[in-house]
Amino acid sequence: LEPNTVSKEMTAAAEPIKPAESLRTLLEEVIDYAGLFPPSQLSMQEAVVNYAAYRSGELGWMLGRFVVPTARLDEFLECARDLLSGGSAFPWRLSALSGEDITATIKAVNDFNRENEGRAVIDTLEVKATTISKIENTVAILPEGLTAFFEIATGDEFVDLVMSLAAHKQRAKIRTGGVTNADFPSAREIIRFVRSCMAANVPFKATAGLHHPLRCFKPLTYAADAPRGAMHGFLNMLLMTAFARESYRPSLLEELMEDEFEEVFSFSDGGVAWRSEYFLTTAHLKLLRTRGMISFGSCSFDEPVEDLRAMGLL
């Protein structure tokens, strides 16, 4: 081959793959960056710098909100002040974790949004709720424009809590992992949560443990002696939720959640096929992301991206 031809081929090989429309629809703004939290547990300065870089990168379209505890908002501003541009059409979007005092939390959110208009906005609040009264008390003082996700207990009160969220047109949150094997709910438990939310028309977000596209057995932290365990995949989770919305049987949803083979997933502009037998259109995926699984929190943005690239999807 002539030198110029080789150079062109090498350049073409280095260029990112244009994702199929179905994949783009599935993953747009799907990763809420939680770099402050385990196992990454970065400093505020490191997490803020990372988020700024991801926002401006070629895969910024996959990035959702910056997740920060309400108690650390002052620290966030101190670290991010030079990176926040005034009057931007695209201010930083934050998801704030509520403190125990919901009234104090709402005040802190309102103050932050007023003082940082055009630069950063908290438009999502994440609240732990083990009782119906906690949901109702939060909804009663929730300002317009602030969307709440309620991390609800999955015990005996679970169904009542889901129905309360449905009655108040609110959203749920599920914890899908952590830094020990005990932190990971079973596929069956996740499916129960998802099917209950879908039946009640309650959208939700997931958090923790979804670092990889497909179910896998890997170290649970970044320590040299980290315990290893089965981790749920975010593609498994997203597509399982989409099929749950279409009322597929639980046993099939469980098979999908536990599928570890990338070759059984095929993305095209028109949709995604699983095992060449089950198909979701791109329109189905768009509904999934607005009425089903809204996003997932991850302390890493790089790991999901690297794995998707290794699969040839990005």
Side-chain angles (χ1 to χ4, degrees), residues 152-163:
I152 55 178
T154 55
D156 295 340
E157 305 298 319
F158 171 66
V159 173
D160 290 339
L161 291 170
V162 171
M163 296 312 295

Side-chain angles (χ1 to χ4, degrees), residues 23-93:
L23 186 73
R24 174 112 188 186
T25 298
L26 186 67
L27 300 182
E28 191 155 12
E29 298 182 0
V30 76
I31 302 177
D32 288 336
Y33 181 58
L36 298 174
F37 301 88
S40 288
Q41 209 158 7
L42 301 177
S43 69
M44 181 67 74
Q45 185 66 49
E46 291 172 312
V48 162
V49 168
N50 282 353
Y51 187 77
Y54 300 145
R55 265 175 57 98
S56 61
E58 64 180 342
L59 295 176
W61 58 269
M62 288 176 54
L63 187 65
R65 290 160 177 80
F66 184 90
V67 183
V68 59
T70 310
R72 298 183 68 180
L73 287 174
D74 288 344
E75 185 186 358
F76 165 81
L77 283 174
E78 183 179 341
C79 293
R81 185 167 284 109
D82 292 341
L83 296 169
L84 302 176
S85 57
S88 171
F90 303 101
W92 282 34
R93 293 178 303 152

